[in-house]
Amino acid sequence: MSHIHYRYLLPALLVMTGCASFDIDQSTQKLNQQYPAYTQGKLALASKPEQQKNMQDQAASLLTQPLSQDAAVQLALLNSPALQAMLAQHQAAGASTAQSARITNPLFTFERNRQSGELELGRLLSFGLMDLLSLPQRQTMAQHSLAQAQTQLSLDVIDSVSQVRIAWVKAVAAQQSLEYARQVGEAAGASAILAERMHKAGNFNSLQAARQLAFKADAVAQLSFARHASLATREELVRLLGLNDEQEKTLKLPERLPDLPATPLAAESLGPQASKNRLDIQLAKQELDAAAARQGLSLVSSFTDIELGIRRDTNFDAAGHGEIKRGVEVSLRLPLFDWGDAQRTAMNANTLAASYRLQATVNNAGSHLRVSYSAYRNMYDIARQYRDEILPLRKRISVENQLRYNGMFISVFELLADSREQINSVLAAINAEQQFWLADAALQAELLGRPSASNLNPVKSTATAEAAH
């Protein structure tokens, strides 16, 4: 090989290696464009002090008003250290993946030997020939890994936003129930005092008075439970929003949950949308593609490894005259003890496992979606039934009982019993609305391939309690 080849060899290698890199800003902007309903354009990694201050200012502005569900999502994206840590971790993983697509730096060796007045200077520049030959495959693998990381980040962001939505629904519903429990407690206290006075006057027997006292005691217990539930759900939301103690003091929630939508989502509109956008299926396909690419690369590297070196030695005799020697060294790892069959078997098994995981993900997607939509649609029907039928009927019954009481057709005991039934219906209606909005958040996440961890609770019927009276 002539010196002309050496002159062009290193630049040629630099051109071939390229500059595989990863940009977190491009990654987050892509998510903002693909999923605006989830990120609302606010997803970004704050890596500089001015960025952090800008985001903190926006968070402080959001906390000046009662926090809607969309505002809660924005606040989490702007303020949550956990979300920022997730983005930073994604940046670290992406940079490591890009690093894997680059060639290992060449090794330069210098030797200086003197013997009997002669001086020998040896220079050797060596690099992995297999790394160079497999560069296109490793760059392809890196692209697959980056695509996987991007999809996984999408799933993680959707999961985090869904958790915020669910926590917001629970916190607002618990606050709404607490307010109603306070009203019930005040009414129960008043009825207990009235019952005690009527008992002393002889208008209530001991059984009727005991029932009112028991109702008051139960109301007090329910108020304590509602107070704790409101605090616990609020604190869960505070943690997801990443609020500190000072920010927590300024957090205000709406008085009640949003109204039900006029019409529910149609089942026919969900099928094409789900199959097109599901991220779990995309991730399973990318895992299969990456396993196949990794298998092709390992097929060659499992047999041997080759190191290529370029040598340039200079010998000086005793008179100081130099002689230059150039040459090439090749180091080959001989596959005598390990032919790499176990490594190839593992690669084949990983590719086969990835193909089965893809098949399982595709098969299960429809089942998960049917369950989520069933919960969504049935909770919508139940919540609407409470709003449109049960609560108006309870109100009519209360009005009729009040008229009957005024006309002395029923006793105070029957009037109070009716008020208890109305209380149960209102609490059940609040619970039904909460369950619907939880099911809605779970369905939205399910459509993108991230089943929500939300657990729906059955709405308690008041029919049994009514029949008891």
Side-chain angles (χ1 to χ4, degrees), residues 5 8 13 41 70 192 273 278 290 296 319 368 377 418 430:
H5 296 93
Y8 295 106
L13 289 176
D70 288 342
Q273 182 181 352
R278 286 192 72 93
H368 287 306
R377 184 52 198 265
D418 174 71
I430 295 174

Side-chain angles (χ1 to χ4, degrees), residues 83-100:
L83 274 170
Q84 290 296 311
M86 182 179 69
L87 294 178
Q89 192 63 42
H90 173 67
Q91 183 184 27
S96 298
T97 302
Q99 177 67 35
S100 67

Side-chain angles (χ1 to χ4, degrees), residues 249-318:
K249 294 177 182 176
T250 62
L251 175 63
K252 295 184 288 291
L253 295 175
E255 295 180 354
R256 59 188 301 275
L257 291 169
D259 294 333
L260 296 175
T263 56
L265 295 174
E268 295 76 15
S269 65
L270 301 182
Q273 182 181 352
S275 59
K276 179 181 178 182
N277 298 326
R278 286 192 72 93
L279 290 171
D280 54 349
I281 296 178
Q282 292 182 26
L283 184 61
K285 288 180 179 177
Q286 290 166 349
E287 288 177 350
L288 177 59
D289 294 340
R294 194 178 303 112
Q295 185 177 5
L297 175 63
S298 300
L299 181 63
V300 178
S301 61
S302 62
F303 282 103
T304 185
D305 190 15
I306 304 174
E307 291 283 334
L308 177 63
I310 302 171
R311 176 173 291 280
R312 185 177 188 273
D313 297 335
T314 305
N315 294 327
F316 296 93
D317 57 17

